[in-house]
Amino acid sequence: MSTSRLLTESFAPLLDFVYPPRCPACGNGVGEQGGLCPECWQDLVIPSEPCCSTCQRPFGNAGPSTGAICAPCLAEPPKHDGIAAGTLYTDTSRKLVLAYKHGRRIALAPMLAKLMAARLPEVDGQRLIVPVPLHRHRLWQRGYNQAALLGRQLARMGHGSLCVDALVRAKPTPTLGGLGKKARAKALAGAIRLNASQAARVGGANILLVDDVLTSGATSSACVNTLKRAGAKTVTIVCFSRVLDEALDV
């Protein structure tokens, strides 16, 4: 047993006494720190088969058979090589994301990453884990890059090596929610760039592009385009929660 784990287990009873474990989504009492109550676990929706063979959008039980492609991918084939989402966007996943990203509950990262890891496809060879970057001003304000923390957890679980600075957000961008496709593209033009010092690691690599939430996909698409131009072999997007296009007003 590692020293850090031994210390964690030794002080766990004291921590639970001082800070009784609560569900991070609803605040109800739970059995251990970082766990969800049964009601909130039940509200999480885990994507499953059948799904789009290109982007893994779930079709539902009455959907097409394996190998089918969803309408959005048929209309505009994506440049990424798949999307692995730990959950679909629900009230509970929204609360978890808000607590993690804006409530500074960074201790949620291991739990969120485990749900993400469970959806990762198999791949031949080693993966390079690349988080979606924050602009330096946003990083200074928040104090951490939530995508990078998730990427670190995935690396610790053996899903690849972390390259935290492969991508750079060269300019600040506004909140993209509510913007149309052209407006999002304009806001992101030139915003995501490759870090030249990491170009050799990106070239020919199988990449996991990590983010906490996937909404319109505009930012992730800009990242994918940059990585593919730099010679990445494959780029799979992995996120904790995915907002489907038909539910963007949630």
Side-chain angles (χ1 to χ4, degrees):
M1 182 182 295
S2 66
T3 302
S4 60
R5 182 177 177 183
L6 179 61
L7 289 173
T8 298
E9 293 185 358
S10 299
F11 285 99
L14 178 61
L15 178 64
D16 290 348
F17 177 77
V18 178
Y19 300 104
R22 299 278 181 184
C23 173
C26 70
N28 288 336
V30 293
E32 62 181 13
Q33 301 287 348
L36 292 179
C37 68
E39 290 77 12
C40 288
W41 273 117
Q42 188 174 6
D43 185 59
L44 289 180
V45 178
I46 309 300
S48 60
E49 300 286 347
C51 64
C52 172
S53 61
T54 300
C55 77
Q56 287 70 58
R57 174 190 297 271
F59 289 135
N61 294 332
S65 60
T66 302
I69 300 176
C70 68
C73 287
L74 285 173
E76 188 174 351
K79 293 184 179 181
H80 63 67
D81 297 280
I83 299 174
T87 67
L88 299 184
Y89 200 72
T90 63
D91 185 55
T92 295
S93 61
R94 174 181 176 273
K95 289 177 181 177
L96 290 173
V97 168
L98 291 176
Y100 173 60
K101 181 158 58 175
H102 300 296
R104 299 181 180 275
R105 300 284 298 276
I106 60 174
L108 291 173
M111 181 185 71
L112 306 186
K114 285 179 182 178
L115 288 167
M116 295 162 63
R119 299 293 302 157
L120 287 176
E122 297 292 332
V123 67
D124 293 330
Q126 180 76 346
R127 285 184 169 115
L128 187 67
I129 300 173
V130 175
V132 171
L134 289 180
H135 186 263
R136 62 181 182 277
H137 292 164
R138 182 69 59 83
L139 186 59
W140 291 339
Q141 290 171 354
R142 185 171 297 162
Y144 59 95
N145 179 348
Q146 71 278 1
L149 295 183
L150 293 172
R152 183 173 66 182
Q153 292 298 323
L154 291 173
R156 286 177 174 175
M157 286 185 274
H159 294 288
S161 58
L162 179 64
C163 187
V164 72
D165 59 346
L167 294 176
V168 177
R169 194 176 291 249
K171 67 176 186 179
T173 53
T175 301
L176 302 180
L179 296 180
K181 183 177 179 180
K182 291 184 178 179
R184 292 195 299 265
K186 182 178 180 181
L188 285 165
I192 306 295
R193 297 179 183 175
L194 181 73
N195 183 349
S197 66
Q198 301 294 350
R201 297 185 68 185
V202 171
N206 292 308
I207 291 178
L208 287 181
L209 178 67
V210 182
D211 207 356
D212 55 339
V213 179
L214 181 68
T215 51
S216 68
T219 300
S220 59
S221 293
C223 293
V224 170
N225 290 340
T226 299
L227 292 168
K228 286 294 184 78
R229 285 197 299 268
K233 182 179 179 181
T234 63
V235 181
T236 300
I237 301 169
V238 57
C239 62
F240 166 66
S241 190
R242 179 181 183 181
V243 183
L244 298 181
D245 297 345
E246 57 269 25
L248 284 176
D249 58 344
V250 174

